[in-house]
Amino acid sequence: ASDGLGIEEVRLLRGRILILLHPDCQPDKLVAVLKTVFGIAYFAPAYRVQQTPQAIAEKALALAKQRSFASFRIATRRANKSFPMNSVELNTHVGELVRQATGARVDLKKAELTIAIEIFDSEALLYCDKIIGAGGLPVGVSNTAVVLLSSGIDSPVAAYKIMRRGVSLVFVHFHSVPMTSAASVENTKKLVAHLSRHQKKVKLIVVPFLETQQHITSVTPPSYRVLLYRRMMMRIAEKFAFKNKAKALVTGENVGQVASQTLPNMLAINEVVSLPVLRPLAGDDKQDIIAFAEKIGTFPISIQPYDDCCSLFVPGNPETSAKLDRIVDYEKNLDIEQLVSKAVAGAETMIYAHDRKDDTE
């Protein structure tokens, strides 16, 4: 993942990770990558100096002279307690030198410039510019989940939010080609490539769903079709979850946004799976979801034209308050196990590493 970034060495310090760079490193490229890594609250381009008050003061003065500011503060973090000055003493010593050299005033609460000094066992680091990271938890620390990914706006945002909590994702996309165009599949591939920047390796499973839909359409009334589609999708997605040792399913559903996303309908959809179903967007307003999609860069892909498989054979008046006994009766006319098995067997799996598709199964 670090190839081509100019990283020479990575060291673990007390409460910090220190990345040492080659002289020919391209900092902008490295910064762009670090911004996508979940678990990083912030990072900073820092300078190493000898662990002496003189060397630290000289570098602090050099950093100060490169900037224009009316107020400043020195913030020292001293992990090496054998250093001859404590944090307050070093702050005072360096701060007075900077004040004399620049004429700026000291402001401990709302300083325009903060010069941070961190003293570890054998070296001192100085930096001024904190860069906000992606936050959250490192991907992988919270097990694996399977996300049902359309090529629309909502489910990629749901995927991002769950990844940000340390969950590794396997993506499952359903399509109805050739009754619909292949645009949804192509857009989904672009979304997965974009989201794969946050995870070392990402699996996308593309599932043919047309035959299942045709069977449902032939034996069930129009108002219940979307619910039956969703129940079949959940069954199929759970099969892939078990194969990938996933602990949950994830959807982009939002309470009340469409007919299938009422609370009674969500309950009916959940009923066919044993794994928990996570809905990170359940309480979000649509405009908030759009704004988030724009922020994370999925929105331009999600608004590209496509045919959603769930829009195929959809009635004008879908059921909004499902009766579970009716659903069970309708599903008696379906060979559920055979439909699930055929869909799983016909699925295509692709592996992505960051923005590159590496392999196809």
Side-chain angles (χ1 to χ4, degrees):
S2 60
D3 292 347
L5 296 178
I7 295 176
E8 187 174 89
E9 184 183 352
V10 178
R11 296 181 186 173
L12 183 61
L13 304 177
R14 297 186 189 181
R16 293 285 187 266
I17 297 174
L18 179 62
I19 300 175
L20 304 179
L21 305 178
H22 290 296
D24 58 351
C25 170
Q26 299 179 18
D28 290 346
K29 185 177 181 181
L30 179 58
V31 166
V33 171
L34 290 176
K35 283 183 176 180
T36 70
V37 180
F38 293 134
I40 297 178
Y42 71 88
F43 56 97
Y47 300 86
R48 289 193 300 165
V49 300
Q50 290 183 338
Q51 203 178 91
T52 65
Q54 180 180 351
I56 292 170
E58 288 176 355
K59 176 53 72 171
L61 283 170
L63 292 174
K65 290 176 181 179
Q66 295 171 4
R67 291 162 169 80
S68 176
F69 55 95
S71 62
F72 75 99
R73 71 184 183 112
I74 309 297
T76 297
R77 179 175 179 263
R78 189 180 65 130
N80 181 5
K81 302 305 181 184
S82 65
F83 187 76
M85 292 182 171
N86 64 31
S87 297
V88 174
E89 291 170 343
L90 188 58
N91 287 344
T92 302
H93 172 65
V94 175
E96 179 59 21
L97 294 175
V98 172
R99 187 192 66 79
Q100 291 177 6
T102 65
R105 72 179 188 278
V106 175
D107 188 334
L108 300 182
K109 293 184 177 180
K110 297 181 179 180
E112 293 180 17
L113 174 69
T114 296
I115 300 176
I117 302 170
E118 303 207 0
I119 300 173
F120 297 97
D121 292 338
S122 60
E123 55 199 343
L125 302 175
L126 286 84
Y127 58 89
C128 297
D129 304 310
K130 281 188 177 181
I131 301 172
I132 301 301
L137 300 173
V139 173
V141 302
S142 301
N143 295 113
T144 299
V146 164
V147 58
L148 284 76
L149 187 74
S150 74
S151 54
I153 295 171
D154 297 347
S155 56
V157 173
Y160 179 97
K161 288 191 171 187
I162 289 296
M163 292 174 82
R164 195 167 180 256
R165 300 313 305 157
V167 179
S168 295
L169 290 184
V170 174
F171 295 88
V172 175
H173 175 72
F174 295 87
H175 70 83
S176 299
V177 177
M179 287 292 288
T180 61
S181 75
S184 73
V185 176
E186 295 306 314
N187 290 356
T188 298
K189 291 178 181 179
K190 294 176 184 176
L191 287 167
V192 172
H194 184 79
L195 291 169
S196 72
R197 300 176 305 159
H198 305 288
Q199 187 172 311
K200 184 176 181 180
K201 184 177 286 188
V202 170
K203 182 181 292 185
L204 168 62
I205 302 169
V206 180
V207 183
F209 197 60
L210 178 59
E211 183 175 347
T212 299
Q213 288 181 283
Q214 289 173 329
H215 276 277
I216 291 172
T217 301
S218 67
V219 298
T220 59
S223 61
Y224 272 80
R225 287 175 186 168
V226 173
L227 285 174
L228 295 175
Y229 295 165
R230 296 293 296 173
R231 283 165 64 93
M232 290 299 292
M233 287 178 175
M234 298 296 274
R235 291 183 175 104
I236 294 165
E238 189 174 53
K239 293 292 185 183
F240 290 115
F242 292 148
K243 285 187 175 184
N244 289 277
K245 299 180 180 179
K247 305 301 182 184
L249 301 175
V250 181
T251 78
E253 292 168 304
N254 175 270
V255 175
Q257 183 166 269
V258 296
S260 66
Q261 296 176 17
T262 62
L263 291 180
N265 288 358
M266 287 182 181
L267 181 62
I269 291 167
N270 283 19
E271 191 262 343
V272 299
V273 293
S274 60
L275 290 177
V277 181
L278 308 181
R279 295 179 170 91
L281 310 184
D284 289 359
D285 182 81
K286 185 65 174 185
Q287 291 305 313
D288 295 333
I289 298 171
I290 290 172
F292 202 98
E294 291 174 334
K295 176 184 176 182
I296 65 175
T298 57
F299 184 73
I301 305 171
S302 295
I303 61 173
Q304 293 178 17
Y306 70 95
D307 296 319
D308 184 358
C309 70
C310 278
S311 64
L312 192 63
F313 313 126
V314 170
N317 296 298
E319 179 61 54
T320 59
S321 185
K323 308 296 187 294
L324 192 55
D325 56 344
R326 291 188 185 179
I327 291 177
V328 172
D329 284 340
Y330 297 145
E331 288 186 338
K332 289 177 181 177
N333 298 317
L334 299 172
D335 190 339
I336 291 174
E337 289 189 11
Q338 182 183 12
L339 290 171
V340 170
S341 296
K342 289 189 71 173
V344 170
E348 179 185 9
T349 299
M350 285 157 275
I351 306 298
Y352 289 76
H354 298 279
D355 60 350
R356 303 183 305 278
K357 184 177 74 172
D358 286 353
D359 197 11
T360 302
E361 297 177 5

